[in-house]
Amino acid sequence: MCGIVGLLVKNQKMRTNIGSLMLPMLIGMTERGPDSAGLAIFGQPVADDERKFNLYTSDMDFNWQKLSHDFLTHLGSKVVNFTQKANHAVLTTHLEPTTVKTWLKEHYPQVHLLSIGQLMDIYKDVGTPAQVAERYGFEQMSGSHLVGHTRMATESAVTPAHAHPFTAGQDWCLVHNGSLSNAHNLRRKLNHEGIQFETDNDTEAACRYLEWRMREGDDLKTALEHGFDALDGFYTLLMGTKDQLALVRDPFACKPAIVAEHDDYVAIASEFRSLAHLPDIKNAKVFEPSPQEMYVWKV
Amino acid sequence: MESLKYNLDVTPLRELNQFLHSNPSELDGKTIEISNPNGAHNIAVGLKADVNVTIQGHAGYYAAGMNQIAHVVIEGSAGSGVAENMMSGRVHVKGFASNAAGATSQGGLLIIDGDAGLRCAIALKGADVVVGGSVGSFTAFMAQAGNLVVLGNAGDALGDSIYEANIFVRGSVKSLGSDCIEKPMDEERRQILVDLLAKSGHASISPECFKRFGSARTLYNFKVDNAGAY
């Protein structure tokens, strides 16, 4: 099954509360996805020459302080910022992504690099949406837009790495409700382009395909048009970029989606029960997105 | 008429549905208002009494499914499978309906004021369905009996593999499914259409604006050419 949620807050004042607005949306999708949950949230950007590296380990007692200290000692680079919650940390630095990746692989292979970007942070783990939200403090988070997911695994294992959102490149993420029938073909095609995969999850193939299209020069809409031809299967895909949310459904509309557009926000979910609590929802324009159409909302 | 109010923010849905399943003689003639439905699934399913139920907001999946006798009004939108397998009575959705509205319904009347999603009236078995807006692809797929009226447009593969159901469309049809063809509007069908327009609050709309579609009967009839295959 799986549940998806998305929220883009237009009202500047409400952006500090985006986490608390979103939390009931995510928890509302627990029945659709009780085994894992995740969130990608877009907040204030770091400086132009800085990048945020979101790190994850399954070890709850991991010594993050030592990692931060070793990073400084080995690379001689100042860590601009280091924040940590449970088994997740965000490391902000001037260093090149490849340098950080290589260093992590060599010294901390048990630490998984979740994402790289200037605005986006990604949190995901196994557990119910309420447990995962509590672990990372989703309720207290602020930002302009976000994408969330609750997972009921069907085609690959229940592990933190298989949880959504998936990401590729920088400040780009995707969540998926459905199943792709040509994920392996897509993966082989992308392997020929030199693209590496981290899991055997079908969603990762869609995520890396679209990110690859955009690196090849497509804008988001063109990439999605290519996606309609390239992706075979059932899907509702919700995507986040540094300044946009985008939604598409397969031509058979096999997987649900509902949208509420309000003066203060745009909210997207698999079902209305995740939107019902939103402020002044009665005056929002609620509609079901059509199959094989692109919906894009700008921050 | 006695009116009862249920607030689903306070009362568990199961308690409401169990009340609605109590002895029909206790429910007959009652009006029940349900507030804060908030997209919950299975609201007012399996009704079997002469009651009027109003759902004051958006309903989730399978609202008023398997309905018999009862009249159910949904003031907002309905999720997948609204009034699926209805046997009799009437279900009125004032907003839009998601996929598979009225699926396999055998009797009664389903009215949707807004659009309906894909696979509306799929495997229809005798009910009447009137959609004020447009319908998505694969509408009336394998519909066997009953009538579907669409005031707006129809998507791809309308009436694919249809049996003896009648489809009336006022707007455009993107494409017809296998074995579905346009048929002449005979007097019998015209009368069915006029009655359904009147019953669904569209009496002012002329039946002349509609085209009728039905089965070419080349798929489901036994063909002597195929005798050797058995």
Side-chain angles (χ1 to χ4, degrees):
Chain A
M1 246 190 164
C2 296
I4 59 164
V5 299
L7 186 60
L8 185 154
V9 177
K10 295 187 261 186
N11 180 328
Q12 294 283 346
K13 282 184 200 151
M14 285 168 72
R15 289 186 175 173
T16 49
N17 306 325
I18 194 168
S20 57
L21 286 169
M22 178 282 301
L23 188 61
M25 297 176 71
L26 195 73
I27 290 175
M29 289 293 97
T30 301
E31 283 172 29
R32 296 189 66 92
D35 66 46
S36 330
L39 179 75
I41 184 160
F42 296 79
Q44 288 295 323
V46 293
D48 278 353
D49 59 344
E50 295 167 5
R51 292 292 178 278
K52 296 200 278 185
F53 295 82
N54 277 234
L55 308 176
Y56 170 92
T57 165
S58 53
D59 179 6
M60 284 287 176
D61 302 318
F62 183 76
N63 190 344
W64 288 108
Q65 229 170 356
K66 183 172 180 305
L67 181 143
S68 165
H69 181 261
D70 287 352
F71 188 87
L72 177 69
T73 320
H74 293 159
L75 296 170
S77 163
K78 190 168 159 269
V79 173
V80 178
N81 195 13
F82 191 85
T83 55
Q84 175 251 320
K85 274 177 201 158
N87 53 350
H88 180 279
V90 182
L91 184 153
T92 309
T93 170
H94 301 100
L95 290 176
E96 284 298 312
T98 43
T99 314
V100 178
K101 273 188 202 171
T102 312
W103 181 81
L104 276 172
K105 211 171 250 177
E106 195 177 326
H107 298 277
Y108 287 94
Q110 74 275 39
V111 172
H112 182 65
L113 178 60
L114 286 175
S115 69
I116 307 168
Q118 291 188 291
L119 300 93
M120 184 181 75
D121 289 321
I122 283 193
Y123 303 84
K124 60 181 184 178
D125 208 346
V126 294
T128 64
Q131 286 166 342
V132 175
E134 174 71 26
R135 188 169 307 152
Y136 302 122
F138 288 173
E139 194 170 11
Q140 286 78 41
M141 289 180 182
S142 61
S144 53
H145 57 302
L146 56 79
V147 163
H149 189 264
T150 67
R151 180 165 189 245
M152 185 186 283
T154 52
E155 54 64 68
S156 55
V158 178
T159 75
H162 286 84
H164 302 212
F166 279 89
T167 180
Q170 298 189 18
D171 289 327
W172 156 255
C173 74
L174 176 150
V175 295
H176 172 207
N177 173 200
S179 56
L180 298 177
S181 46
N182 67 338
H184 291 286
N185 275 341
L186 209 55
R187 179 187 301 268
R188 274 192 291 275
K189 185 181 164 182
L190 294 172
N191 282 154
H192 289 308
E193 302 291 334
I195 292 166
Q196 301 293 313
F197 282 75
E198 288 176 7
T199 72
D200 57 346
N201 185 288
D202 60 341
T203 305
E204 188 181 352
C207 178
R208 294 200 183 275
Y209 173 81
L210 293 169
E211 192 271 336
W212 168 68
R213 286 304 329 159
M214 288 189 284
R215 257 190 297 125
E216 292 290 302
D218 286 1
D219 59 15
L220 180 61
K221 284 197 170 184
T222 318
L224 289 172
E225 267 165 29
H226 282 121
F228 284 131
D229 294 331
L231 303 175
D232 186 13
F234 304 143
Y235 53 86
T236 292
L237 298 174
L238 178 63
M239 293 144 282
T241 73
K242 62 180 175 24
D243 58 356
Q244 293 172 108
L245 288 185
L247 179 80
V248 292
R249 300 176 76 196
D250 70 68
F252 292 83
C254 277
K255 295 297 172 183
I258 193 156
V259 177
E261 289 181 338
H262 187 276
D263 288 346
D264 290 335
Y265 57 82
V266 178
I268 302 128
S270 298
E271 298 179 32
F272 182 77
R273 46 188 176 149
S274 271
L275 306 180
H277 71 282
L278 287 166
D280 195 36
I281 186 76
K282 280 188 178 138
N283 290 315
K285 179 190 161 203
V286 175
F287 66 95
E288 200 171 62
S290 300
Q292 213 171 359
E293 263 192 44
M294 279 175 268
Y295 295 84
V296 179
W297 297 275
K298 277 218 162 237
V299 171
Chain B
M1 200 186 289
E2 192 180 352
S3 176
L4 292 158
K5 292 184 197 312
Y6 275 85
N7 178 354
L8 285 183
D9 268 352
V10 179
T11 308
L13 175 65
R14 181 165 292 181
E15 195 179 314
L16 164 69
N17 277 345
Q18 281 173 345
F19 167 74
L20 292 171
H21 296 160
S22 41
N23 194 331
S25 61
E26 290 172 30
L27 293 167
D28 280 354
K30 286 196 168 67
T31 295
I32 292 136
E33 291 174 1
I34 302 167
S35 58
N36 293 309
N38 292 347
H41 295 182
N42 311 319
I43 301 174
V45 292
L47 301 191
K48 253 196 312 200
D50 184 14
V51 287
N52 289 295
V53 175
T54 303
I55 299 171
Q56 297 167 327
H58 300 290
Y61 295 0
Y62 313 121
M66 302 179 284
N67 187 59
Q68 296 184 54
I69 311 168
H71 284 200
V72 179
V73 175
I74 299 168
E75 291 181 339
S77 69
S80 292
V82 62
E84 53 101 28
N85 212 51
M86 175 163 57
M87 304 301 285
S88 63
R90 178 182 156 124
V91 176
H92 184 179
V93 182
K94 294 197 169 176
F96 64 86
S98 186
N99 295 340
T104 75
S105 281
Q106 306 200 30
L109 173 64
L110 168 62
I111 303 166
I112 299 161
D113 290 349
D115 294 337
L118 287 80
R119 302 178 281 283
C120 176
I122 184 171
L124 191 71
K125 290 187 174 75
D128 296 318
V129 179
V130 181
V131 181
S134 296
V135 293
S137 300
F138 314 106
T139 285
F141 177 68
M142 292 191 94
Q144 291 146 53
N147 303 291
L148 169 69
V149 180
V150 180
L151 274 63
N153 306 319
D156 273 316
L158 177 71
D160 195 294
S161 309
I162 189 171
Y163 293 78
E164 291 305 299
N166 297 307
I167 304 175
F168 306 95
V169 182
R170 183 167 67 155
S172 64
V173 175
K174 197 168 174 199
S175 69
L176 291 174
S178 295
D179 210 35
C180 184
I181 53 168
E182 188 178 343
K183 292 185 145 185
M185 183 79 78
D186 56 23
E187 189 45 41
E188 183 193 341
R189 267 52 174 232
R190 193 179 171 280
Q191 201 49 55
I192 291 172
L193 177 58
V194 168
D195 287 350
L196 284 175
L197 288 170
K199 273 191 203 170
S200 57
H202 301 295
S204 61
I205 295 173
S206 161
E208 313 308 326
C209 317
F210 289 81
K211 284 180 177 170
R212 174 197 161 206
F213 301 89
S215 177
R217 298 172 178 161
T218 61
L219 273 181
Y220 73 84
N221 275 337
F222 175 74
K223 272 205 186 113
V224 73
D225 299 352
N226 298 332
Y230 300 101

